Amino acid sequence: MRNIKNNIFEFATKELSQDAVICWCVNWFNQKNSELYPLAVDLLKLITDLDDNNLEDEIVIKKQLYKIDILIYFKKTGKAVIVEDKVYSSEHHDQIVKYKNIIASISDSEKNKLGMKELNEIRTVYFKTGFFYDNDKMVEADKIVQGKEFLEIVGKYKDKNTILQMYYEYLEGLIIWYEDYGKFYN
């Protein structure tokens, strides 16, 4: 049993809480003068092919749109990024492929309602912070992100914000627990 501190993330352990953290981190991209803007840039570089040419872009973030955990849309480039986020469970029923097909087929009027003028590219990300099972390694996604990668990015900025500090401590403990659990089973 892990030692529970007075850390909100010890109580908010579900994927929706993690979705919110990811969205919150990425949304700093729209606030170029914030001290957490580099956090958003680093995270977007991890989950997309963001380069210096895209740094002047603006993003729209949608949660639970068509059951997609997170949809990030780059306004200038017309790129959409589908993030399927998992903590304890795994991708099932080809979720990512289905979500990509849904986004590819939405009408122009629906795109406009969503703030998506044009759709030039759709990228997919499988984002999992919990234990990686064999089937997790076989998910069809353009990018697979594991908890340690996210922890490394959050760790660079944890001293700038209490929320990041708490999430870092929570995620670090979760990863240590999974590593120990994995050693027990091997």
Side-chain angles (χ1 to χ4, degrees):
M1 179 94 183
R2 291 174 42 200
N3 183 19
I4 295 181
K5 298 179 185 179
N6 195 12
N7 180 329
I8 193 167
F9 297 106
E10 293 292 344
F11 303 98
T13 60
K14 302 295 183 197
E15 289 166 6
L16 287 175
S17 300
Q18 184 165 282
D19 289 355
V21 170
I22 295 166
C23 291
W24 180 78
C25 289
V26 169
N27 193 52
W28 290 107
F29 188 75
N30 289 327
Q31 298 177 29
K32 310 285 190 233
N33 295 326
S34 167
E35 69 177 339
L36 291 178
Y37 170 75
L39 162 69
V41 170
D42 285 350
L43 185 52
L44 287 168
K45 283 182 178 180
L46 175 65
I47 64 176
T48 72
D49 56 353
L50 182 75
D51 61 31
D52 291 343
N53 297 326
N54 304 113
L55 294 180
E56 293 305 315
D57 212 331
E58 186 180 339
I59 58 173
V60 174
I61 303 167
K62 301 288 183 184
K63 282 183 33 188
Q64 297 301 316
L65 177 70
Y66 308 113
K67 297 188 179 182
I68 297 168
D69 290 333
I70 302 167
L71 178 69
I72 303 167
Y73 175 75
F74 290 82
K75 287 183 170 184
K76 290 182 182 172
T77 60
K79 177 170 60 175
V81 180
I82 296 167
V83 179
E84 180 58 25
D85 178 34
K86 300 290 184 189
V87 177
Y88 304 109
S89 64
S90 296
E91 196 241 14
H92 52 84
H93 300 99
D94 296 320
Q95 288 173 289
I96 296 172
V97 171
K98 287 178 185 175
Y99 297 154
K100 186 174 183 176
N101 291 336
I102 288 169
I103 294 301
S105 66
I106 59 176
S107 68
D108 288 340
S109 64
E110 185 66 16
K111 286 179 203 167
N112 283 330
K113 288 179 193 173
L114 297 171
M116 301 167 58
K117 276 197 308 189
E118 56 184 313
L119 191 55
N120 297 321
E121 180 182 5
I122 303 171
R123 306 288 294 170
T124 57
V125 179
Y126 183 55
F127 196 108
K128 184 166 183 186
T129 55
F131 191 79
F132 240 70
Y133 300 98
D134 289 340
N135 59 332
D136 289 315
K137 297 171 187 168
M138 302 183 61
V139 169
E140 284 189 52
D142 296 313
K143 178 76 177 181
I144 295 176
V145 175
Q146 295 187 33
K148 282 185 177 181
E149 295 169 289
F150 191 35
L151 182 70
E152 184 177 316
I153 288 173
V154 172
K156 289 170 57 176
Y157 304 97
K158 67 180 180 179
D159 295 331
K160 296 183 182 284
N161 185 281
T162 304
I163 294 170
L164 287 175
Q165 179 68 44
M166 285 191 288
Y167 188 75
Y168 179 85
E169 291 171 3
Y170 164 73
L171 184 58
E172 181 181 48
L174 182 70
I175 290 170
I176 290 169
W177 185 86
Y178 273 118
E179 286 175 349
D180 290 345
Y181 183 76
K183 288 175 191 167
F184 176 73
Y185 267 91
N186 287 333

